[in-house]
């Protein structure tokens, strides 16, 4: 009736104005005005009926979604047999972003740390402890920091630190902050707090300039130490600049690496930190037998690489054999990523005298060790063309971005891949993933059913229930990986993370360790699956598995 009251005055105005202009001429135009009003009322009544009919349709739609939700909840009581029968992904498989013909690869290059060398979980505690000692002893941080302990359950690879705001962030494939992936110190921020700091969950270009990616094997101890230091200052109610925290922690981490503290710590107790690996030797020998060229390109010093390789391969190498015989070229202290863009010359390293020669290096001699250098000189000396070279490394930026731009084929070594695939293969995870997809679909349909102004109590109640069930499924999936940040490659919604984006960008293939290539012939053609969205090791569980129960 409110609409009727708004329409009728307009009709009356039309009638009187018409009477004034033409009523005295005997042609009573006002009558047409009255007819128009009656017609308007009739149309309005028809509109009321249509609206009532639309409301009935909306109510029916809500009832249908409610029935589907109730049916889904009943199906959630057991894992469908069809889900159990879904194929499992291979934790030790090679996953391909861009096709590779291994028969065309003639040269294989390797990084050392976390590529050829496999470390135990104890290494992160060593790095963390050495870095915090440096911060206390050299950078004059409070003595209480010496009591900090590395927490392996807190960090994951691929986080970002916001130097401006002091937050550790997990981003999704499109650069948005995960709703439960933002920590200030060790405290998880709410979505409201995230919006207060950033305005939106999406990180814009200007904000992205203040972010630092934590991507290499130091990132676990680095992220944990940053969070612990920030939390200490917050709890102690001390003023501090979050940018300085990052600078100091990063300086301490770099000092631990460049000073050789961590290298000496590992070699002093190799049983505690290094993992023996006969499969690696089999892989390298297989490549040599197939006539492939091999080179080692690492930032670590030679004595550290030599000690580690001897320990890891000592049970498999013959008494007279040396790991150096497996490689055509060994380059240490390469200073990646500058190696790929600089013009530094190579220098021959004397392993007995621990000195560098002054003679120009214009060819690589057998059984010699080389330091420094650059990609330009490397290609000039070896004549190895880009497409025939494949380089293995664990750091997406320092190891793989340069080779990728130079035309080499690249393989990312991500040790976490094995454990994450095993979790994704579990029926429990796939069960929660399917539940999440069903609930997401029902929520989307419910949102599209009713306009904001017409949302009934039944609608609101159903919306709350669906959201609660969806949140439960999200939390269950997240906790299966990491209680703080969830999976490395996935968001809490089962979509790809920003770390997955970088792998897709810089790695032609990725796997958990180089020796996984033993399962493939050197003549194999590796193709990217045609039916994937982003990451080929992900399996999307269809919600139809539950609807057919």
């Amino acid at each position: 009736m409110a609409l009727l009251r708004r329409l009728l005055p307009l009709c009356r105005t039309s009638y009187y104005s018409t009477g004034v202009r033409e009523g005295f001429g005997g042609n009573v135009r006002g009558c047409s005005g009255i007819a128009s009003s009656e017609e308007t009322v009739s149309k309005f009544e028809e509109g009321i009926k249509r609206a009532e009919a639309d409301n009935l349709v909306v109510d029916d739609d809500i009832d249908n979604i409610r029935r589907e939700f109730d049916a889904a909840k009943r199906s959630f009581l057991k894992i469908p047999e069809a889900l159990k029968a879904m194929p499992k992904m291979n934790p030790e498989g090679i996953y391909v972003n861009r096709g590779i013909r291994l028969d065309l690869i003639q040269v294989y290059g390797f990084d050392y740390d976390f590529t050829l060398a496999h470390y135990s979980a104890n290494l992160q505690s060593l790095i963390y402890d050495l870095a915090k000692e440096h911060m206390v002893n050299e950078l004059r941080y409070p003595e209480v920091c010496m009591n900090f302990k590395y927490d392996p359950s807190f960090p994951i690879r691929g986080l970002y630190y916001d130097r401006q705001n002091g937050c550790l962030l997990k981003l999704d494939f499109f650069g948005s902050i995960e709703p439960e992936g933002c920590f200030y110190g060790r405290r998880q921020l709410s979505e409201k707090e995230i919006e207060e700091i950033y305005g939106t969950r999406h990180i814009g270009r200007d904000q992205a300039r203040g972010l630092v990616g934590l991507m290499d094997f130091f990132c676990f101890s680095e992220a944990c130490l940053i969070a612990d230091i920030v939390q200490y200052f917050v709890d102690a109610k001390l003023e501090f600049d979050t940018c300085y925290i990052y600078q100091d922690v990063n300086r301490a981490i770099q000092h631990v690496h460049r000073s050789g503290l961590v290298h000496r710590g590992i070699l002093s107790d190799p049983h505690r930190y290094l993992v023996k690996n006969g499969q690696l030797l089999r892989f390298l020998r297989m490549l040599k037998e197939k006539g492939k060229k091999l080179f080692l390109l690492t930032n670590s010093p030679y004595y550290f690489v030599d000690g580690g390789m001897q320990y890891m391969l000592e049970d498999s190498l013959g008494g007279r054999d040396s790991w150096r015989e497996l490689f055509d070229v060994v380059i240490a202290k390469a200073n990646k990523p500058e190696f790929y863009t600089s013009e530094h010359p190579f220098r021959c390293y004397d392993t007995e005298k621990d000195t560098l020669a002054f003679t120009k290096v214009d060819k690589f001699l057998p059984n010699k060790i080389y330091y420094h250098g650059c990609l330009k000189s490397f290609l000039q000396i070896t004549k190895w063309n880009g497409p025939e070279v494949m380089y293995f490394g664990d750091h997406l930026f320092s190891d793989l971005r340069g080779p990728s731009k130079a035309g080499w084929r690249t393989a990312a070594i991500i040790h976490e891949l094995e454990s994450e695939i095993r979790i994704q293969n579990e029926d429990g995870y796939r069960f929660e993933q399917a539940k999440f997809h069903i609930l997401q679909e029902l929520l989307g349909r419910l949102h599209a059913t009713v306009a904001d102004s017409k949302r009934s109590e039944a609608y609101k109640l159903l919306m709350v229930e669906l959201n609660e069930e969806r949140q439960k499924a999200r939390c269950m999936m997240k906790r299966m990986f990491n209680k703080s940040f969830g999976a490395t490659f996935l968001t809490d919604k089962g979509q790809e993370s920003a770390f997955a984006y970088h792998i897709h960008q810089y790695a032609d293939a990725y796997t958990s360790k180089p020796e996984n290539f033993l399962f493939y012939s050197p003549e194999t053609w590796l193709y990217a699956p045609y039916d994937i969205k982003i990451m080929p090791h992900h399996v999307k569980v269809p919600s139809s598995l539950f609807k057919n129960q």
Side-chain angles (χ1 to χ4, degrees), residues 280-295:
L280 174 63
L281 182 61
R282 281 187 56 206
F283 172 52
L284 297 177
R285 280 179 170 167
M286 182 269 289
L287 293 177
K288 295 295 288 184
E289 290 168 2
K290 294 290 183 179
K292 308 298 183 182
K293 300 292 186 181
L294 275 66
F295 70 92

Side-chain angles (χ1 to χ4, degrees), residues 370-386:
Y370 297 92
Y371 268 30
H372 311 316
C374 64
L375 178 62
K376 180 180 178 181
S377 297
F378 181 83
L379 296 178
Q380 289 173 345
I381 294 172
T382 61
K383 303 296 190 292
W384 292 338
N385 296 318

Side-chain angles (χ1 to χ4, degrees), residues 179-209:
E180 297 179 0
C182 180
F183 281 73
Y184 187 73
R186 297 296 293 270
R187 185 176 70 86
Q188 179 183 303
L189 301 186
S190 67
E191 290 191 52
K192 182 179 179 181
E193 289 175 311
I194 293 173
E195 290 182 3
E196 288 175 352
I197 295 173
Y198 295 99
T200 173
R201 286 200 297 110
H202 183 73
I203 296 294
R205 183 175 298 178
D206 291 339
Q207 290 173 319
R209 294 191 183 99

Side-chain angles (χ1 to χ4, degrees), residues 202-335:
H202 183 73
I203 296 294
R205 183 175 298 178
D206 291 339
Q207 290 173 319
R209 294 191 183 99
L211 301 186
V212 181
L214 306 177
M215 301 290 169
D216 65 0
F217 73 96
F218 285 126
C219 74
F220 300 97
S221 47
E222 185 172 9
C224 192
L225 188 53
I226 288 173
D228 290 342
I229 294 288
V230 169
Q231 190 63 53
Y232 165 75
F233 278 107
V234 170
D235 293 341
K237 296 181 172 56
L238 299 174
E239 292 187 6
F240 67 101
D241 189 317
T242 55
C243 184
Y244 295 154
I245 298 295
Y246 169 75
Q247 290 177 355
D248 291 343
V249 171
N250 183 256
R251 189 187 311 169
I253 293 284
Q254 293 299 323
H255 170 77
V256 164
H257 180 62
R258 291 171 181 166
S259 66
L261 282 173
V262 71
H263 299 147
R264 293 190 291 273
I266 292 170
L267 293 182
S268 67
D269 193 1
H271 298 274
R272 179 173 173 79
Y273 301 109
L274 282 165
V275 179
K276 293 195 174 185
N277 189 2
Q279 290 292 94
L280 174 63
L281 182 61
R282 281 187 56 206
F283 172 52
L284 297 177
R285 280 179 170 167
M286 182 269 289
L287 293 177
K288 295 295 288 184
E289 290 168 2
K290 294 290 183 179
K292 308 298 183 182
K293 300 292 186 181
L294 275 66
F295 70 92
L296 177 63
L297 178 66
T298 176
N299 286 351
S300 293
Y302 172 74
Y303 81 88
F304 176 65
V305 176
D306 182 51
M309 291 291 281
Q310 287 188 40
Y311 173 78
M312 290 187 294
L313 304 179
E314 67 182 356
D315 295 340
S316 305
L317 284 170
R320 299 178 182 177
D321 294 332
S322 167
W323 67 267
R324 285 167 51 180
E325 295 174 359
L326 299 167
F327 294 91
D328 297 271
V329 183
V330 175
I331 302 167
K333 283 204 169 183
N335 198 31

